[in-house]
């Protein structure tokens, strides 16, 4: 029966639902705030409960890998493989003191103040990326702007040479597919293979930085290691792969999804042209309208009850951010794009202790991309309906072709 919440939940991972998951989200959200998943575990669907779980100390992120006796099931990745080694060290999958220590170090680079200092470089990059497309009158927005902008910025922050960007991108794309809760054995094998190349690449880069220290985030991490032996090479290498991945896949999604949403709502695009001062608010509404990150993973530390449902300890809980962002209990006309919406407050960057480290950077990059594109192209038209990537957790377009005039 299609209205069975468990069946609906599985349908989310079909190609049709990936193109537009919102009708299924609406049914799931109306069915219950917490839904049992046929894959094992739970999904949280409504804004209030999603917000509460994200902030609650009764939950933590999963460890990113499974042991043989894991309550969630057998290991998905080779326990001795490099993918497991990286995942077990990614900041996202740390809790308590280990999490605070790593996060503090990374946060130093992404404070709003530090991000403001990057604005001139981001502006120059956007100008450079837009120039050939404006000249030509057409643009594949993902390949020419949405991807290279955040990827270049995160490479420069981490200290990954520009010439190596494409290799890192290819590895990251394959590894990112395993973030989806419905990943396949083929995707997992491909990710293990990618990591078998990516890990030695990063370690060689670190070795190079040790002999020729610079000012990048990876250099800062190495300096901490040297100072007080507080960060191991495994931790630094793992968080280099995580930051590269988290620093571009998501913002690429926001720029592509956001522009597509505005092209499907031309009156909203015109409004933004008339009132460029609402750009920051528009970015928040675009984050809400079609979040580039659709799920955050959690587990309950001890068995507990939410909304009358008992959540077992250690079983996966999918926090449905994109679903909560369209909750009519929180938003009037939730399925309408309203760039002037008062205080959209989307949950797209998560909340609580794991709140996105790169939120300020992502906002600045996206505002620069939209602000300059709109200013330089008096008309922007969709050339063809775009296709969505085969991953729902990191929601984004494969490509987005537009005509510019
Ligand atoms: C529109 C763009 C972005 C979106 C929607 C986004 C979304 C998120 C979300 C939802 C989380 C929390 C996951 C959870 O609680 O389970 C998160 C965490 C994180 N994000 Fe982002 N992100 C974006 C851009 C970035 C950028 C540009 C960077 C880095 C340069 C970044 C780095 C991180 C890191 C390091 C974490 C883990 C924080 C922790 O575990 O303490 N993100 N992001």
């Amino acid at each position: 029966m299609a209205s069975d919440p468990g069946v609906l939940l599985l349908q989310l991972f079909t190609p049709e639902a990936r193109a537009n998951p919102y009708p299924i989200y609406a049914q799931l959200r109306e069915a219950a705030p917490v839904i049992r998943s046929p894959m094992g575990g739970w999904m949280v669907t409504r804004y209030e409960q999603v917000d509460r779980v994200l902030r609650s100390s009764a939950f933590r992120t999963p460890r990113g890998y499974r042991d043989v006796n894991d309550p969630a099931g057998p290991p998905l990745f080779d326990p001795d493989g490099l993918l497991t080694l990286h995942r077990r060290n990614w900041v996202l999958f740390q809790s308590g003191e280990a999490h605070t220590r790593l996060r503090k170090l990374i946060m130093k680079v992404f404070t709003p103040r530090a991000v403001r200092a990057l604005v001139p470089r981001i502006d120059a990059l956007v100008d450079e990326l837009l120039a050939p497309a404006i000249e030509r009158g057409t643009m594949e927005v993902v390949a020419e702007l949405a991807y290279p902008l955040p990827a270049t910025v995160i490479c420069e922050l981490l200290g990954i040479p520009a010439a190596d960007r494409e290799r890192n991108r290819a590895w990251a794309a394959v590894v990112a597919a395993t973030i989806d809760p419905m990943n396949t054995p083929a995707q997992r094998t491909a990710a293990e293979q990618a990591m078998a190349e990516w890990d030695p690449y990063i370690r060689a880069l670190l070795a190079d930085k040790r002999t020729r220290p610079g000012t990048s985030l990876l250099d800062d991490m190495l300096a901490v290691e040297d100072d007080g032996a507080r960060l191991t090479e495994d931790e630094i290498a793992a968080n280099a792969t995580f930051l590269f991945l988290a620093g571009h896949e998501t913002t690429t999604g926001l720029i592509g999804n956001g522009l597509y949403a505005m092209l499907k709502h031309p009156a909203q695009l015109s409004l933004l042209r008339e009132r460029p001062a609402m750009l920051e608010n528009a970015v928040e509404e675009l984050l809400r309208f079609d979040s580039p990150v659709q799920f955050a993973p959690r587990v309950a530390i001890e068995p507990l009850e939410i909304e009358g449902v008992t959540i077992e300890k250690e079983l996966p809980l999918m926090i449905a951010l994109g679903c909560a962002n369209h909750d009519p209990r929180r938003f009037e006309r939730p399925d309408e794009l309203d760039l002037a919406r008062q205080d959209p407050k989307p949950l797209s960057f998560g909340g609580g202790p794991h709140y996105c480290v790169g939120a300020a950077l992502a906002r600045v990059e996206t505002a620069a991309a939209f602000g300059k594109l709109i200013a330089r192209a008096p008309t922007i038209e969709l050339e063809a309906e775009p296709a969505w990537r085969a991953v729902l957790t990191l929601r984004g377009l494969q490509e987005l072709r537009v005509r510019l005039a």
Side-chain angles (χ1 to χ4, degrees):
M1 210 174 74
S3 55
D4 176 311
V7 175
L8 277 169
L9 197 151
L10 288 184
Q11 282 175 3
L12 272 179
F13 298 92
T14 59
E16 299 75 47
R18 264 190 244 116
N20 179 11
Y22 295 98
I24 297 185
Y25 283 154
Q27 294 181 63
L28 287 168
R29 214 171 36 230
E30 290 322 300
V34 185
I35 287 173
R36 178 106 203 151
S37 162
M39 296 179 276
W42 302 90
M43 181 184 276
V44 187
T45 62
R46 294 183 190 163
Y47 191 99
E48 187 199 327
Q49 286 78 8
V50 163
D51 194 35
R52 201 176 341 132
V53 171
L54 285 171
R55 291 166 200 282
S56 162
S57 56
F59 297 89
R60 60 167 177 77
T61 54
R63 292 170 307 147
Y65 64 97
R66 293 182 193 166
D67 292 326
V68 190
N69 298 323
D70 199 293
L76 288 175
F77 311 104
D78 172 5
D80 301 318
L82 287 168
L83 187 58
T84 295
L85 180 71
H86 277 242
R87 291 177 60 106
R88 75 193 302 156
N89 282 294
W90 281 355
V91 58
L92 178 65
F93 295 141
Q94 309 303 310
S95 307
E97 166 56 24
H99 174 247
T100 314
R101 177 185 67 129
L102 252 181
R103 184 177 162 101
K104 237 186 178 161
L105 186 77
I106 298 171
M107 270 313 283
K108 275 203 330 216
V109 182
F110 295 103
T111 57
R113 194 155 147 231
V115 169
R116 272 197 300 278
L118 293 173
V119 167
R121 172 67 184 133
I122 292 170
D123 281 347
L125 254 175
V126 176
D127 286 339
E128 205 179 290
L129 292 167
L130 285 180
I134 300 281
E135 170 91 22
R136 211 187 310 125
T138 60
M139 188 176 199
E140 202 286 83
V141 177
V142 176
E144 293 184 68
L145 177 66
Y147 156 68
L149 172 63
T152 303
V153 172
I154 194 69
C155 278
E156 289 177 3
L157 283 172
L158 286 173
I160 293 175
D164 298 342
R165 195 186 73 187
E166 291 310 304
R167 279 203 281 169
N168 281 272
R169 180 199 198 183
W171 291 320
V174 177
V175 170
T178 57
I179 288 175
D180 229 27
M182 286 290 274
N183 57 61
T184 64
Q187 285 172 321
R188 297 197 283 270
T189 305
E192 308 244 15
Q193 285 164 352
M195 201 51 106
E197 294 176 14
W198 203 3
D199 176 80
Y201 165 85
I202 294 286
R203 287 184 201 264
L205 186 66
L206 294 177
D208 187 50
K209 288 187 183 302
R210 279 203 182 91
T211 54
R212 291 185 294 145
T215 54
S216 72
L217 174 57
L218 292 186
D219 288 291
D220 287 355
M221 287 180 150
L222 285 170
V224 170
E225 183 190 28
D226 291 339
D227 276 358
R230 286 182 62 220
L231 279 178
T232 64
E233 182 172 295
D234 284 349
E235 285 175 311
I236 300 173
N239 286 289
T241 61
F242 184 68
L243 279 164
F244 178 76
L245 197 160
H248 82 282
E249 288 265 355
T250 49
T251 310
T252 301
L254 177 57
I255 296 173
N257 303 359
L259 183 62
Y260 176 61
M262 289 193 281
L263 293 173
K264 298 297 273 185
H265 298 81
Q268 290 294 309
L269 185 56
S270 305
L271 186 68
L272 184 56
R273 278 187 192 285
E274 283 160 26
R275 292 168 50 194
M278 65 184 237
L279 184 57
E280 274 181 27
N281 199 72
V283 171
E284 293 310 292
E285 170 67 352
L286 291 165
L287 273 160
R288 184 197 72 80
F289 187 74
D290 202 2
S291 178
V293 177
Q294 292 281 322
F295 300 109
R298 290 293 181 275
V299 295
I301 293 170
E302 293 297 333
L304 59 82
E305 200 177 285
I306 39 173
E307 308 298 327
V309 173
T310 304
I311 307 285
E312 306 88 337
K313 165 179 170 173
E314 298 292 328
L315 282 201
L317 205 72
M318 285 164 74
I319 311 292
L321 307 171
C323 181
N325 280 344
H326 284 240
D327 187 351
R329 293 160 193 79
R330 168 66 177 74
F331 299 103
E332 278 175 34
R333 304 165 283 106
D335 297 329
E336 252 176 58
L337 180 71
D338 176 3
L339 299 182
R341 189 183 289 276
Q342 300 268 307
D343 197 19
K345 275 227 171 65
L347 295 169
S348 311
F349 289 122
H354 291 274
Y355 181 79
C356 178
V357 161
L361 176 61
R363 287 180 169 120
V364 164
E365 289 174 343
T366 307
F370 289 158
K372 283 177 178 286
L373 176 63
I374 290 171
R376 299 198 49 194
T379 65
I380 311 169
E381 285 170 359
L382 201 56
E383 203 174 278
E385 268 309 306
W388 292 88
R389 293 177 45 184
V391 185
L392 181 60
T393 301
L394 292 175
R395 178 167 166 76
L397 294 168
Q398 250 156 15
E399 53 171 43
L400 177 61
R401 294 191 178 277
V402 297
R403 277 184 296 270
L404 307 171

